[in-house]
Structures are given as C-alpha cells and as structure tokens.
Amino acid sequence: MADFDLAIIGGGLNGVSVARDAAGRGLRVILIEQGDLASAASSASGRLVQGDLLALERRAFRRTRAALAERDIWMRIAPHLVRPARFVIPAHANERPAWLLRLGLLVYDRLSASRSLPPSEAIDITHHRIGDALQRPFGVAFAYSDGLVDDSRLVVATAMDAAERGAVIRTGARCVRADRLDIWRLAVIDRGHRQIITARSLANAAGAFAPIVAETVLRTPPPRAIPIKMGQIVVSRLFETDNVYAFQNHDGRLIFASPYHRDFTMIGTVTSPFKGDPAAVSMTADEVAYLCNAANRYFRERIGASDVVRLMAGVNLVATGPGRRFAREGTVMFDARRRKAPLVTVFGGDLTTARRRAERAVSYLLPFYPMSPPWTAHAALPGGDFPAEQFETEVERARERWKFLNSDQALRLVSAYGTRLDGILGDAKAPADLGASFGAELTEAEVRYLMAKEWARFPDDVLWRRSKLGLTMEPADRERLAAFMAKAQLLP
Ligand SMILES: Cc1cc2nc3c(=O)[nH]c(=O)nc-3n(C[C@H](O)[C@H](O)[C@H](O)COP(=O)(O)OP(=O)(O)OC[C@H]3O[C@@H](n4cnc5c(N)ncnc54)[C@H](O)[C@@H]3O)c2cc1C
C-alpha cells in the first residue's frame, strides 16, 4: 500500500490548489516544495484577479465570463486576501478611442455576474483626485471593477486549508527522482536527508520547472511549452488614491500601476521570451526602462531605474502545439498507462483561474479513487470566514479588541490574516505582550505564528512571502530576526 494517494511536486499556487482540492475530496495528499511556498512565480505576479479586459479584443467572451466568475469566488472565499479595486484607464489620444474603451467596459460589465462590484463609468478627471497624479492632457478616464490579491499569502492560505484537511505540506524538500511503477516511488531530499515516499498518483505542478522535472526527475517526455519571463517593478508611492491605473501602452498592452503596501506603487507587467534556469530569472535594464517609460507617459512624477526599490521577475509556461489552450487558463495534462501509476501535469495560467484548474486536475483522478464532489468554490480559506462587504468592520473590530493597534497596523494585519489574527495577538493588551519587536511592525508573536502555522523558516519567508515588511525593514532588524528564527528552529 502506498503512503499517499497523491503526491504533488511544487508549492506554487497551482500545486497548493491541487493539494487543497484533493485533500478536501478525501485523498491522502503530500505536497513537496523544494524551497518556500510561493518562492517562484507565485510571489512575483502583478496581483491582478481579473476577467482580463484585453481578452475581449480577441473575442474570448466565454473565457472572460468564466474568469470573472473565478474572480468573484476568490473575493468570496478569501475576502481578506483578494480585495476589490477600482481600475482606471485614462483615455489617451494616441491609443484606443474612448468609444471603444466604453464599449469594451460595457461588455465586461455584462459578462460579470457580480452584484456587489460597481459597474464601469466614465469620469471627468480634470478636477478629480484620480487625475491629480496624472499629466495635464488626460481629461477623461474609464473606471471599472476588478480585484487585487496578496499572491504569496493566497498560496500560504491555500496550503493551510489543504493541511487542515489532512494534506502533508513539506517545504525545503526537493524531489530528485520519481520511479513510475504501479505506484510512484519518490526520492526526496529533505534538509540533507534522502527519503522514499510512495504515492498512488503524482502531480507535476513545478511551474516553469515542470519540463525539467519531467525530463530529469520523472524521466517522461517534457510538456510542449515555451517559458515566458514576466516582471514588475516597485517604486515609492506615485499617487494617493487606492485606485489601480491601467495605462494603455504604445504597443497595445495594458500596464498596471497599483498601490503596494501603503507607501509603494507596483508597475507591471513586462513580458519576454525566456531561456535558461527559471531559478536564475531576473529583469534586464531594458525591461525596467520599458515599465518606467510606460508610467512616464501618464504620471506627472517621472521615474527611472534609480527609483526602483524592488524588481520581481518570474517565469510562466505557456503550452504550445495541438490541444493548446487559452494561455490564461493554463494547462492540465493527464497520462494514464496500463499498470502504471497516473500522472497529472499542471502548469501556467493565471492566479485567477488556479482554483478551477486544480479542480480539473483532480477530476482526472476520479476513475481511480472514490472522491467527494468538487467543493472548493464554497469554502472559505483560513481567515476568510466573513462576508467580503464586512472587511472594514473586521478592521474596526480588530482596533476595538486590540486598542494598541493604529489604523494602518490593523489594516495590514486583517488584510493578511483575516479572522486568524486572534492566533497572533490573542489576549495581548499592549505591544509589550507581543514579545520582541523587529522593527517594521514585526513582532515576536507574529514570527512565532508564521513559523508554527505557516511553514516560515527563514527571514525571507517572513519578510517577502508571508508579508512584504522587507520593504521597510532596516538591515540591523533583519539580522536580529535571522538570529531569532535560527534559535527558534533549534528549540523543540
Ligand atoms: C511576473 C509574473 C506576473 C504575473 N502576473 C499575474 C497577474 O497579475 N495575475 C494573475 O492572475 N497571474 C499572474 N501571473 C501568473 C501566475 O503568477 C502563475 O500562474 C502562477 O504563479 C503559477 O504558479 P505555479 O504553481 O504553476 O508555479 P510556481 O509558483 O513557479 O511554483 C512552482 C514551484 O515548484 C517548485 N519546484 C520545482 N521543482 C521542484 C522539485 N524538483 N521538487 C520540489 N519542488 C519543486 C518550485 O520551487 C516552485 O515553488 C504572473 C506570473 C509572473 C511570472
């Protein structure tokens, strides 16, 4: 008998979504991630949870409707992590005519089933806050509704849900070999120790590494796909509103400038073909210049490479060849052979459609196991068990209960942990009750929680994936955090 029904290689959003779906349907699941959860593409995204407006230009109406439905599901099941935002497209004299934008947005409204998000509208921004940060010529803009997600926290919350439904989540564990018999026999290196794990089926959810894993670990033909590099930059805050600006670039693409952790603005995405090791992906000077130039066409405040405080790049795989699907939907491939354990390969696509992709992937295993029906669209992720429209009430409630929190702190904590905040702050009456402080609002209580409940092991896990406090943390505080975490790991 195998140790598990399903082993998953890869702890990005695709992998953890498969783990969550399968564990909730009664399978015995193990997920193996070589680094930290969301350590690759899933923490480098533009954070957009959307139907994709430009897909309408390709007449992808059905897919846009389906993506909008997924957007609404995320907002319902993870209301702390996926927040509605008002996106604004300034009309630009050299780009799509205003009537076309208006028409596209009316169609977008029609395809959205959401009752709670406001529909699109035209706004005269000449004397409007939205126009304050923009250059003079922009008189009209079009506003519409979509969502922004904390990408890496979505991955962690999904993994937590999987774990709470019985899945084993192993980070820092690299799958180096998988032998395909009537069961899978996996060799895993975990903190220097080699271990054998057996599973009745296997999911290759290794993202841009999926072809490498197929060839070198599973020794099966790699999926036919091309790697695409995508990148974003982060600069100091360029505007005061909480809107997301969607700028039409001269190449027809939309470049998004979104509020990023209070004092910053994220600008993306630039894409280009990629060759090489996905672990060593980085952005070129040209790519940074492309994003700066796109922003400089619209914002009053000009930016250049020296203003960039953080670069984020990742590699996504896009399937090629027959059977190729719409890129945003990603790819699910199934391989079943006589007397050989089944293999599912899941890669690419966007964050928005990951839940549905996982559902599809797990459904391939239906003939092999008794399974309960799909369920993930209706169950809240950890911390998300409150109605989306009560988000502000949750923030106020936190401030009432933990009176020492200021409004920014309460907002950050509720946005990150939702109703699980109690597990960090508990009965604390004053900051001193939360133990040591590491600056940048980070306390010992939060670090302990992240290590105990969210698989954080190293400072980067805390500072860049469980939070973005790395943006403001001083080097000396980081050293103290590193020393604290190293010591805490050694304690029983
Ligand atoms: C820059 C960028 C911007 C994007 N912007 C958006 C956006 O705005 N909106 C949106 O919806 N989508 C966006 N996407 C797409 C989205 O981020 C991806 O669809 C998603 O993150 C892919 O997740 P994944 O799980 O397939 O891959 P990954 O997140 O890359 O995860 C794969 C994991 O497999 C692990 N792994 C590899 N080999 C092994 C092994 N041998 N053993 C154990 N573990 C292994 C890796 O360490 C990695 O953590 C963007 C993507 C990028 C790169």
Side-chain angles (χ1 to χ4, degrees):
M1 161 130 162
D3 304 329
F4 295 94
D5 295 323
L6 172 65
I8 300 157
I9 302 176
L13 189 59
N14 278 326
V16 295
S17 299
V18 170
R20 174 178 186 243
D21 190 300
R25 292 170 82 171
L27 302 196
R28 296 170 306 142
V29 174
I30 183 166
L31 180 141
I32 297 150
E33 163 55 50
Q34 63 186 357
D36 183 22
L37 294 171
S39 51
S42 298
S43 57
S45 86
R47 306 175 303 138
L48 308 177
V49 173
Q50 54 164 351
D52 188 3
L53 197 52
L54 291 195
L56 298 181
E57 291 184 342
R58 300 191 296 278
R59 296 173 190 273
F61 301 115
R62 194 177 55 77
R63 282 158 175 152
T64 303
R65 186 199 299 273
L68 286 168
E70 287 301 306
R71 175 198 71 184
D72 297 345
I73 289 172
W74 282 126
M75 286 184 187
R76 209 171 53 237
I77 67 173
H80 51 326
L81 301 172
V82 184
R83 304 287 311 136
R86 226 36 201 155
F87 286 54
V88 176
I89 313 182
H92 190 299
N94 299 338
E95 307 303 338
R96 294 168 188 85
W99 66 262
L100 185 61
L101 291 174
R102 189 77 196 102
L103 182 67
L105 286 170
L106 288 173
V107 175
Y108 205 63
D109 287 342
R110 287 295 297 268
L111 293 174
S112 165
S114 172
R115 301 263 168 275
S116 52
L117 298 177
S120 63
E121 62 183 329
I123 305 176
D124 177 353
I125 55 171
T126 330
H127 303 291
H128 193 285
R129 287 186 68 216
I130 287 174
D132 287 351
L134 300 180
Q135 292 166 25
R136 271 231 156 274
F138 299 107
V140 176
F142 297 96
Y144 66 99
S145 297
D146 255 332
L148 276 184
V149 61
D150 186 329
D151 51 7
S152 47
R153 286 211 57 79
L154 188 70
V155 173
V156 172
T158 305
M160 283 172 79
D161 200 22
E164 288 171 11
R165 294 171 196 276
V168 174
I169 307 289
R170 295 267 286 272
T171 62
R174 181 179 169 84
C175 182
V176 291
R177 188 181 168 117
D179 292 317
R180 190 176 192 177
L181 314 165
D182 57 340
I183 58 171
W184 285 95
R185 206 167 167 277
L186 278 66
V188 174
I189 308 285
D190 187 347
R191 293 160 181 80
H193 299 288
R194 190 180 170 95
Q195 196 193 349
I196 299 297
I197 293 167
T198 55
R200 292 171 67 195
S201 56
L202 180 69
N204 176 0
F209 304 84
I212 304 170
V213 166
E215 273 187 303
T216 63
V217 178
L218 316 182
R219 282 153 295 125
T220 54
R224 290 171 67 183
I226 47 166
I228 301 287
K229 178 168 65 159
M230 300 164 89
Q232 340 274 338
I233 56 173
V234 176
V235 296
S236 292
R237 187 173 174 153
L238 289 172
F239 53 91
E240 294 304 317
T241 70
D242 52 9
N243 297 102
V244 177
Y245 289 89
F247 295 143
Q248 303 180 75
N249 206 19
H250 55 74
D251 54 6
R253 295 175 55 88
L254 283 182
I255 301 296
F256 295 90
S258 52
Y260 194 63
H261 298 274
R262 206 153 67 207
D263 298 323
F264 300 90
T265 297
M266 175 188 260
I267 302 170
T269 301
V270 54
T271 58
S272 51
F274 179 78
K275 263 195 189 140
D277 179 0
V281 61
S282 63
M283 281 174 80
T284 64
D286 282 351
E287 288 161 350
V288 172
Y290 171 93
L291 292 177
C292 291
N293 292 340
N296 289 339
R297 287 183 90 206
Y298 288 84
F299 284 128
R300 277 171 202 249
E301 192 175 333
R302 294 186 69 77
I303 53 166
S306 60
D307 298 304
V308 174
V309 295
R310 189 161 171 81
L311 298 170
M312 275 177 283
V315 181
N316 220 2
L317 273 193
V318 179
T320 56
R324 163 183 183 265
R325 293 186 68 97
F326 189 58
R328 291 195 60 219
E329 288 186 351
T331 301
V332 180
M333 287 159 37
F334 183 62
D335 177 16
R337 296 177 195 177
R338 250 169 73 81
R339 297 211 189 87
K340 296 276 184 203
L343 169 67
V344 185
T345 304
V346 193
F347 62 84
D350 62 5
L351 305 171
T352 315
T353 52
R355 188 206 62 83
R356 211 167 52 129
R357 194 155 47 251
E359 203 169 85
R360 235 170 61 220
V362 174
S363 295
Y364 276 114
L365 300 174
L366 270 172
F368 300 87
Y369 314 103
M371 257 191 243
S372 50
W375 62 279
T376 53
H378 308 291
L381 288 182
D385 48 344
F386 61 90
E389 54 282 5
Q390 280 181 23
F391 178 80
E392 276 78 21
T393 315
E394 284 298 312
V395 177
E396 274 167 34
R397 208 173 278 161
R399 283 202 74 190
E400 267 163 37
R401 176 155 177 211
W402 296 289
K403 294 202 169 16
F404 54 89
L405 294 179
N406 67 33
S407 55
D408 284 342
Q409 288 165 337
L411 180 63
R412 177 184 81 81
L413 290 166
V414 172
S415 304
Y417 303 106
T419 54
R420 295 286 170 107
L421 185 53
D422 189 43
I424 298 173
L425 302 183
D427 294 328
K429 299 273 182 286
D433 297 336
L434 301 174
S437 161
F438 299 100
E441 293 177 23
L442 186 64
T443 62
E444 182 179 332
E446 189 169 352
V447 178
R448 283 194 189 283
Y449 172 87
L450 294 176
M451 293 181 78
K453 305 283 185 196
E454 296 196 3
W455 301 277
R457 293 184 302 144
F458 302 109
D460 279 359
D461 305 350
V462 171
L463 298 178
W464 294 115
R465 290 178 284 276
R466 307 305 181 283
S467 76
K468 294 291 181 286
L469 293 173
L471 285 164
T472 48
M473 183 170 271
E474 297 294 337
D477 288 329
R478 196 196 142 93
E479 301 249 307
R480 287 194 307 118
L481 173 65
F484 173 83
M485 291 183 77
K487 197 167 156 201
Q489 295 221 34
L490 296 176
L491 297 176

